[in-house]
Amino acid sequence: MSQINIKYERPLKGEISPPPDKSISHRASIISSLSEGKSIIRNFLNAEDPLRTCNAFRQMGIEIEEHRTQNTEHRQKADLIIHGKGLMGLKTPKDIIDCGNSGTTMRLLCGVLAGQPFSATLIGDSSLMRRPMQRVITPLTEMGAVIQSEKGGYPPLNIKGGKLKPIDYKSPVASAQVKSAVLLAGLYCDGVTSVSEPEKSRDHTERMLKAAGVNIEIKDLKVSVTGKAKLKPLDTTIPGDFSSAAFFIVAGAIVPDSKILIKNVGINPTRTGLLDILKMMGADITIGNKREVSGEPVSDISVKYSRLTGIEIGGDMIPRAIDEFPILCIAASAAQGTTKITGAKELRVKESDRIASMSKELRKMGVEVEELEDGIIIKGRARLKGATTQSYGDHRVAMSMAIAGLVADGETIVEDTECVNTSFPGFMEMLEKLQQ
Ligand code: S3P
């Protein structure tokens, strides 16, 4: 079992580029596989989660060529050529499909499998096997798929696809995975399938389906897709992952005298709640060199240390910062005063129960924390206490606790850190580079 040992060395200085975006990488492999012809995907995230999605499509007969860029700053990227076979070009997988730790792989695949003339079984690791799937089972069943699950809607899932009918689905949760599963299934329907959500979640699926020539209409919180289109192959470059950059944005903001430039970061507004939150807390962040790359907004972000102040966060800010909660807790722990986060019950069903995980681990580092059913109250302190902490097998908890170690007295150990490879192989090398 691997661990991270970390202590403050010196201010963080220098330039980095985060690994490619995980959410967009998943979608690129799915949409290319369903398109008709050869797609070129540059800067694909070569990490465990998106590779699970690629392997699922390989199991269903799609040829995916991988060209790794070796001597770059990262070992986390690859260029892919995907030979799509159209919406109906997939073959019955011979084996069970193992989605590993990846909720996105499992939930988005459900949408694709719902429209297939065969059945397939999906499993995952111990974390994924405990995550709720009823949220995709309900709309896909209404569309006509037959899905068997464990009692309560847990994996393994057996999905028997078939002829689907369009629906107008009102999702009870703001979830890009649910929205995407319904939109992907909608590709297999005659007519228009719609999905509405209570707050806006990330919109990468909508953007990429449009790029593939699919008719997508967006009206406030409702997205509609017209089915049975022929998908055009993609020629796309994936931007750097804002959620991976987030660890360094916070590190730069809280480690005294730091100054970092983070280049080529996706700043899709459905993802950048953390920037707004940190600015409200008093962070010194500048967004420069704004541009558009393959239909996604991208920029270079510079961050300088400044003393942060606690604030209250809730409402529609939550889905825009949903994956940044663990690292936001570290910012709050290092801020002056109290930070209160509410309306974030979804965090209970992520790769770990992130409200419980972060509460427990921050207490070990001397932080006063109150756990709420749907959030957390954190009282910041000038320095944290070095401690031996746990990741709960959750990549974002592991990386957040490592950043906490930079503002703690003495050494901090983070145990069980292999999970970092699900989204960010090379995380420690990048941090070490900034410490030189
Ligand atoms: C993701 C959507 C979010 C996010 C997850 C990735 C995606 O999950 O937390 O890390 O790529 O669609 P939900 O859809 O459950 O909110």
Side-chain angles (χ1 to χ4, degrees):
M1 196 188 279
S2 70
Q3 64 176 44
I4 291 174
N5 293 51
I6 193 141
K7 62 179 189 311
Y8 173 77
E9 306 268 356
R10 54 187 68 84
L12 302 178
K13 304 262 177 184
E15 243 182 67
I16 49 169
S17 303
D21 190 280
K22 178 157 82 72
S23 284
I24 302 177
S25 294
H26 283 295
R27 285 149 174 88
S29 56
I30 296 171
I31 293 171
S32 301
S33 297
L34 301 180
S35 74
E36 310 215 347
K38 182 171 129 183
S39 288
I40 302 170
I41 316 293
R42 288 177 215 87
N43 204 35
F44 184 85
L45 175 63
N46 187 31
E48 281 169 17
D49 270 20
L51 291 177
R52 292 283 180 184
T53 302
C54 284
N55 285 339
F57 282 95
R58 285 191 174 117
Q59 280 181 260
M60 294 189 282
I62 300 297
E63 188 196 339
I64 302 181
E65 293 173 49
E66 232 179 88
H67 302 274
R68 299 227 178 141
T69 10
Q70 275 307 342
N71 52 0
T72 55
E73 188 176 7
H74 321 299
R75 52 190 161 89
Q76 319 101 323
K77 47 186 176 185
D79 291 342
L80 302 185
I81 295 180
I82 301 183
H83 299 270
K85 293 192 174 161
L87 285 175
M88 298 314 295
L90 302 178
K91 284 197 316 215
T92 314
K94 288 198 189 75
D95 296 312
I96 286 173
I97 296 175
D98 186 349
C99 304
N101 189 246
S102 177
T104 309
T105 305
M106 187 171 278
R107 294 196 180 114
L108 270 57
L109 270 184
C110 285
V112 173
L113 290 169
Q116 304 305 321
F118 54 75
S119 67
T121 300
L122 304 179
I123 58 162
D125 69 4
S126 59
S127 153
L128 187 53
M129 297 300 269
R130 289 193 300 267
R131 296 184 66 188
M133 295 298 148
Q134 194 57 49
R135 54 183 61 198
V136 289
I137 297 174
T138 301
L140 297 176
T141 304
E142 202 182 317
M143 293 174 87
V146 178
I147 305 181
Q148 280 170 4
S149 65
E150 285 297 301
K151 196 164 168 272
Y154 293 95
L157 302 180
N158 180 272
I159 301 149
K160 192 172 178 325
K163 192 166 162 37
L164 302 183
K165 66 173 172 41
I167 58 168
D168 182 354
Y169 185 62
K170 297 207 174 12
S171 172
V173 278
S175 159
Q177 293 175 355
V178 172
K179 176 172 64 177
S180 302
V182 175
L183 294 176
L184 290 168
L187 295 174
Y188 291 88
C189 297
D190 284 317
V192 177
T193 298
S194 299
V195 53
S196 315
E197 47 186 353
E199 283 122 19
K200 193 163 171 68
S201 65
R202 65 192 68 191
D203 64 359
H204 307 301
T205 304
E206 295 89 305
R207 288 173 188 251
M208 202 173 271
L209 283 175
K210 266 189 193 165
V214 176
N215 184 18
I216 295 278
E217 267 185 48
I218 302 168
K219 246 197 201 156
D220 303 321
L221 298 172
K222 182 169 180 169
V223 184
S224 305
V225 61
T226 307
K228 296 276 165 82
K230 267 191 174 188
L231 273 61
K232 287 190 301 202
L234 303 173
D235 181 341
T236 198
T237 301
I238 296 175
D241 197 325
F242 181 83
S243 298
S244 298
F247 300 104
F248 297 104
I249 298 175
V250 169
I254 64 173
V255 177
D257 299 323
S258 295
K259 188 173 176 221
I260 312 179
L261 177 65
I262 311 170
K263 295 182 84 169
N264 189 32
V265 188
I267 49 161
N268 181 316
T270 59
R271 297 283 298 281
T272 52
L274 179 78
L275 287 182
D276 300 327
I277 294 168
L278 288 175
K279 282 184 182 165
M280 286 192 277
M281 294 175 86
D284 185 347
I285 298 175
T286 314
I287 313 294
N289 192 17
K290 282 193 192 169
R291 57 217 188 258
E292 194 166 299
V293 178
S294 303
E296 290 280 348
V298 175
S299 79
D300 300 337
I301 300 179
S302 51
V303 195
K304 275 194 223 157
Y305 167 76
S306 64
R307 196 82 179 94
L308 303 183
T309 321
I311 54 163
E312 291 202 7
I313 305 153
D316 58 8
M317 188 62 93
I318 298 298
R320 294 183 56 232
I322 193 70
D323 288 345
E324 283 61 74
F325 173 84
I327 192 63
L328 179 56
C329 288
I330 307 305
S333 303
Q336 242 163 351
T338 302
T339 295
K340 184 175 182 185
I341 304 172
T342 53
K345 207 165 159 206
E346 271 296 298
L347 294 166
R348 297 263 178 212
V349 291
K350 292 293 178 190
E351 286 84 329
S352 71
D353 173 343
R354 287 184 173 157
I355 297 177
S357 310
M358 291 309 295
S359 301
K360 270 199 196 142
E361 299 317 292
L362 283 173
R363 280 193 194 113
K364 290 182 190 164
M365 298 187 79
V367 182
E368 221 180 283
V369 177
E370 189 184 330
E371 192 177 326
L372 307 173
E373 187 41 39
D374 68 341
I376 198 165
I377 301 175
I378 296 176
K379 218 170 142 199
R381 49 184 287 157
R383 302 278 306 161
L384 309 194
K385 290 198 286 200
T388 298
T389 63
Q390 256 300 311
S391 74
Y392 303 88
D394 182 332
H395 56 137
R396 298 200 199 280
V397 173
M399 291 184 272
S400 299
M401 297 318 296
I403 299 298
L406 297 176
V407 288
D409 290 325
E411 189 183 50
T412 294
I413 297 172
V414 190
E415 292 181 335
D416 189 11
T417 55
E418 288 92 354
C419 53
V420 167
N421 290 328
T422 60
S423 66
F424 202 156
F427 166 73
M428 275 312 288
E429 285 96 316
M430 208 172 273
L431 185 55
E432 278 156 16
K433 185 182 158 194
L434 292 172
Q435 284 180 313
Q436 276 161 16

